[in-house]
Amino acid sequence: MKPLLYSQFDAVTRNIGWRREGNEIKYYKNNTDDGQQPFYCLTWTIQFPYDQDTCFFAHFYPYTYTDLQCYLLSVANNPIQSQFCKLRTLCRSLAGNTVYLLTITNPSQTPQEAAAKKAVVLSARVHPGESNGSWVMKGFLDFILSNSPDAQLLRDIFVFKVLPMLNPDGVIVGNYRCSLAGRDLNRRYKTILKESFPCIWYTRNMIKSSLFTVVILRSKNAKKEQDEL
């Protein structure tokens, strides 16, 4: 958990971006005698590399909403990947930002083959400060969208429903754990407040809808096969 430093001078003159820096790193609970909930403090020392420089600090290597949009645009414009990866809008967040949904699977030859595929749902950045989750998601997408034989086999067997950034508002405004409503979305999966927590409400309905569609397809195919027998 060593802090990250970004020096504008190094970025311009040496093409060096974010890097780990700092010494005497301590993480501790503060002392409170008034009975209130304690807070935790992170402290470190650092020597700035240059005078008259502008520097930034980060907890993890940043991955922004713009980074995601650039990545998804490259996928949508790829003539091969776009054949088995469909990008659409799941919903709009509280601030009106797009929550993206990717459906990744190889085209099926028959309705029966499509119905036999199980759905795998993946999401990242429900906690906006955990940007390392976005880097893991990017690694997964790089793999599952590749021409690797293993990736092709997985696309033959499964339908992947991917939500690469579930809490874009929190990412954009710089929250660590909460949404724009100041709530931890990981604790809202039972919510009925569609207007307050649209990202979670639509995600839950998407999962229910995917399961229901698979069940209906299988039921129709099973009845047809029974009639034929």
Side-chain angles (χ1 to χ4, degrees), residues 18-35:
W18 291 97
R19 63 181 188 266
R20 298 283 183 186
E21 292 287 352
N23 298 295
E24 299 179 300
I25 299 166
K26 298 183 178 74
Y27 186 66
Y28 58 90
K29 185 190 299 186
N30 66 352
N31 295 319
T32 56
D33 298 326
D34 53 6

Side-chain angles (χ1 to χ4, degrees), residues 165-176:
M165 193 170 284
L166 196 55
N167 187 357
D169 293 352
V171 172
I172 291 169
V173 303
N175 287 352
Y176 180 75

Side-chain angles (χ1 to χ4, degrees), residues 126 166-167 179 183-189 197 199-200:
V126 66
L166 196 55
N167 187 357
S179 68
R183 295 291 186 270
D184 184 347
L185 295 183
N186 239 7
R187 305 291 183 268
R188 301 291 162 178
Y189 279 97
F197 308 106
C199 306
I200 296 301

Side-chain angles (χ1 to χ4, degrees), residues 55-216:
C55 295
F56 300 90
F57 292 101
H59 195 200
F60 299 118
Y61 284 95
Y63 192 99
T64 66
Y65 186 62
T66 302
D67 290 333
L68 173 66
Q69 289 180 312
C70 291
Y71 182 88
L72 296 180
L73 182 62
S74 70
V75 173
N77 291 335
N78 187 301
I80 297 177
Q81 293 177 340
S82 59
Q83 294 180 19
F84 52 79
C85 178
K86 303 304 178 185
L87 174 64
R88 70 176 182 88
T89 298
L90 176 71
C91 66
R92 296 285 179 176
S93 68
L94 203 59
N97 295 301
T98 301
V99 180
Y100 295 100
L101 172 65
L102 289 80
T103 301
I104 303 170
T105 189
N106 284 338
S108 301
Q109 301 299 319
T110 64
Q112 291 80 6
E113 182 182 331
K117 290 184 177 181
K118 293 184 177 181
V120 178
V121 180
L122 301 96
S123 72
R125 297 302 282 281
V126 66
H127 293 155
E130 297 169 354
S131 56
N132 46 349
S134 282
W135 292 108
V136 173
M137 178 63 80
K138 180 182 181 302
F140 167 76
L141 289 173
D142 286 344
F143 163 72
I144 202 63
L145 296 174
S146 72
N147 60 0
S148 160
D150 289 336
Q152 294 183 42
L153 176 62
L154 289 171
R155 295 197 303 266
D156 285 338
I157 300 173
F158 299 105
V159 177
F160 293 92
K161 298 283 187 177
V162 181
L163 297 150
M165 193 170 284
L166 196 55
N167 187 357
D169 293 352
V171 172
I172 291 169
V173 303
N175 287 352
Y176 180 75
R177 194 173 184 86
C178 295
S179 68
L180 204 61
R183 295 291 186 270
D184 184 347
L185 295 183
N186 239 7
R187 305 291 183 268
R188 301 291 162 178
Y189 279 97
K190 293 183 179 180
T191 186
I192 59 172
L193 303 177
K194 176 182 177 182
E195 302 302 323
S196 298
F197 308 106
C199 306
I200 296 301
W201 194 91
Y202 278 97
T203 296
R204 186 182 62 189
N205 277 16
M206 179 272 293
I207 294 171
K208 287 182 177 179
S209 176
S210 298
L211 293 174
F212 182 72
T213 301
V214 170
V215 169
I216 291 296

